[in-house]
Amino acid sequence: MIQTDMAAVSILPSEDQFLCSICLDVFTDPVTTSCGHNFCKNCITEHWNTNNQHLCPMCKEAFNTRPDLRVNTFISEMVAQFRQSAQQKASSSSSEQQVSKPGEVPCDVCTGTKLKALKSCLVCLVSYCENHLEPHLTVSRLKRHQLIDPVENLEGRMCTKHDKSLELFCKTDQTCVCMLCTVLDHKTHDVVPLKEEYEGKKAELEAEIQQMIQKRRLKIQEIKHSVDLSEEDADREIAECVQVFTCLKESADRGQANLIRTIEEKQKTTKRKANSFVKELEQEISAMKKRRTEVDQLSRSEDHLHLLQSVQSLKTNHPPPTKDWTEVSIRPSYEGTVVKAVVQLEETLSKEMKKLLESELKRVQQYAVDVTLDPDTAYSDLILSDGKQVNHGDVKKNLPDKPERFSNCVSVLGKQSFSSGRFYFEVQVKGKTDWSLGVARESINRKEHITLSPQKGFWTIWLRNGKEYKALADPCVLLSLKSPPQKVGVFVDYEEGLVSFYDVDTAALIYSFTGCSFTEKLLPYFNPGLNNCGKNPAPLIISPVRVN
């Protein structure tokens, strides 16, 4: 009996002969219709319950009355033997296959220990391990099913409304749909197979990624070019630095040498004069010693008359030295020698500083941009001309209250905005007693009273009362200028966080905001000040940049 069972198992048909054509799984309670086809009892019963006619799903033979279904014991036994054999085979190979770990997709068919799924079927909506996947690789009708790498939540690939697989894509609504959706809810819409849309989206994504890669390659080139320019700037700055300090050093060396030579020459003159005085004094001393000797000789005589006559003769014929040495002195004068040398050095330094400032101004003027005034931002009392001039008028115009317009400040912005790089523009301020200039963030509050400060989004300087210059930092900085600027240059280095103001005519740096952090667009800012009863009528004029 055991030999017979073993023989039966050894000649057991393949699994596709035990699959129900309705559920595509191994028979459960197999029944046979009069036309000779086999089905699961529940499968054929539900099939006939949902249809008005009693037809064979395989050959379409019609039955006048619903057949009386009985389980086919022979096929049932064969299926049981097949299941037992498959379980033994699965049990023997389970140790060789990998057990599903957390995060991995398990086989939906395995009972007990779940093995790692090898593939998922988009038709069956089931994930299979290697053993349970075999029918999809050997059974002809199952080979047509679409297999993909194992994925979880296969139910999410079913239409929740019609319980059909999502096989199509509605381009009109940009959503995945099933076949019934195209007939009912998306009847007139542009519907394509999922694969077609996938290929299109894939190509679109690849193109987008390629474009992003290209942009980054261009940015790399831009950065490398910026590094090259930075190196050129650094080399130029080093050359200018070496030139300036060499000149200063040479000037200092010359000044030191001249100073030492002058002092040494004065010292030699003083020494010669002192030697002359000493020699003259020594001669007088010698003469006085000789007279003293004569007086000593006369003092030894007892002839008083002769003594008196001799003394009178000495005074008359040989008078003593009469030069008055009281006011004679040696006072070497070095006063002003060092000061003069330092003044000369300061003049040299001033000349070199002027050259440096002119060179720096020329450098920033290379980043000149064409700035025009934006009338949509202008305060209603302002008068704009040619997009380049602005001054305060006495008549308030009836203008639309646009979101970008200043409502409580005599101000206007430039049309051009900048979010990277460097830019420079010049503004004529000649003849004005009040003005404010600089740059502002795009998001500044234009409807309330404005406080000009970096914290509020403004980097500006101003003139008040015709003489008071300030940099409106936190806190404000009072500026001491040698001369009132007639034209002001404004330079911004976005990445460096730098805003600098220059007196264009003298090439002098007025003030620099450093260490700024810019995160949005910057716009040129202009405030011509109030007309002040005709005391401040001149306009602010955006001037063309001319590099000398």
Side-chain angles (χ1 to χ4, degrees), residues 106-123:
C107 175
D108 294 326
V109 182
C110 286
T111 58
T113 302
K114 294 283 188 179
L115 299 181
K116 178 181 176 181
L118 189 64
K119 293 289 181 180
S120 294
C121 178
L122 295 181
V123 178

Side-chain angles (χ1 to χ4, degrees), residues 416-432:
Q416 294 72 23
S417 62
F418 306 89
S419 57
S420 64
R422 302 167 180 170
F423 63 94
Y424 173 85
F425 60 95
E426 294 178 351
V427 182
Q428 180 178 307
V429 297
K430 183 178 180 181
K432 296 193 65 60

Side-chain angles (χ1 to χ4, degrees), residues 454-474:
Q455 187 176 3
K456 298 295 184 180
F458 296 88
W459 292 265
T460 58
I461 62 172
W462 77 10
L463 167 66
R464 291 292 182 269
N465 305 317
K467 58 182 179 180
E468 182 182 315
Y469 292 91
K470 280 186 178 180
L472 303 177
D474 293 320

Side-chain angles (χ1 to χ4, degrees), residues 270-543:
T270 300
K271 191 173 182 180
R272 284 196 300 269
K273 190 174 181 181
N275 289 336
S276 176
F277 287 158
V278 169
K279 186 176 181 181
E280 188 176 350
L281 286 168
E282 287 176 346
Q283 289 175 352
E284 290 185 359
I285 291 172
S286 296
M288 288 179 179
K289 285 181 178 180
K290 182 178 179 181
R291 182 174 290 276
R292 187 178 65 184
T293 301
E294 292 176 350
V295 171
D296 287 343
Q297 291 176 353
L298 288 173
S299 65
R300 294 189 188 98
S301 173
E302 294 182 355
D303 187 350
H304 300 294
L305 177 63
H306 177 70
L307 174 62
L308 293 174
Q309 289 175 345
S310 298
V311 170
Q312 186 65 31
S313 176
L314 285 172
K315 288 183 177 181
T316 304
N317 299 323
H318 303 283
T322 59
K323 185 173 181 179
D324 186 5
W325 292 92
T326 305
E327 300 297 329
V328 176
S329 64
I330 299 297
R331 296 176 181 175
S333 177
Y334 302 117
E335 288 82 0
T337 307
V338 176
V339 173
K340 184 179 179 181
V342 172
V343 168
Q344 291 177 345
L345 183 62
E346 185 178 11
E347 290 176 354
T348 303
L349 178 60
S350 297
K351 291 179 182 179
E352 294 301 323
M353 281 297 297
K354 184 172 178 59
K355 290 180 182 179
L356 276 178
L357 290 172
E358 290 174 349
S359 175
E360 174 65 14
L361 182 59
K362 288 179 182 179
R363 183 183 71 83
V364 300
Q365 284 177 330
Q366 296 175 5
Y367 301 98
V369 294
D370 183 19
V371 174
T372 54
L373 301 172
D374 186 356
D376 291 337
T377 67
Y379 182 67
S380 56
D381 289 8
L382 294 180
I383 300 173
L384 275 61
S385 176
D386 303 327
K388 297 291 184 179
Q389 302 185 30
V390 57
N391 63 296
H392 180 246
D394 295 325
V395 180
K396 188 170 184 177
K397 298 185 290 293
N398 186 17
L399 298 175
D401 186 18
K402 297 184 176 182
E404 59 268 29
R405 189 180 304 283
F406 287 97
S407 298
N408 290 285
C409 184
V410 187
S411 304
V412 62
L413 297 174
K415 282 185 178 180
Q416 294 72 23
S417 62
F418 306 89
S419 57
S420 64
R422 302 167 180 170
F423 63 94
Y424 173 85
F425 60 95
E426 294 178 351
V427 182
Q428 180 178 307
V429 297
K430 183 178 180 181
K432 296 193 65 60
T433 59
D434 290 76
W435 52 261
S436 302
L437 282 178
V439 293
R441 281 198 304 251
E442 187 178 37
S443 63
I444 54 173
N445 190 334
R446 310 180 192 189
K447 299 303 178 183
E448 299 178 359
H449 177 72
I450 286 176
T451 301
L452 296 178
S453 70
Q455 187 176 3
K456 298 295 184 180
F458 296 88
W459 292 265
T460 58
I461 62 172
W462 77 10
L463 167 66
R464 291 292 182 269
N465 305 317
K467 58 182 179 180
E468 182 182 315
Y469 292 91
K470 280 186 178 180
L472 303 177
D474 293 320
C476 294
V477 178
L478 185 63
L479 302 175
S480 179
L481 306 182
K482 291 184 178 180
S483 60
Q486 304 298 302
K487 187 183 290 185
V488 176
V490 183
F491 172 70
V492 176
D493 188 329
Y494 194 97
E495 283 74 21
E496 188 69 20
L498 173 70
V499 182
S500 296
F501 299 87
Y502 295 87
D503 182 336
V504 176
D505 295 325
T506 63
L509 176 65
I510 298 174
Y511 186 79
S512 287
F513 292 88
T514 59
C516 308
S517 179
F518 303 130
T519 57
E520 58 181 270
K521 292 180 180 179
L522 296 179
L523 298 98
Y525 171 81
F526 309 87
N527 183 326
L530 297 174
N531 185 31
N532 198 14
C533 300
K535 295 181 181 179
N536 186 37
L540 289 176
I541 303 175
I542 302 174
S543 307

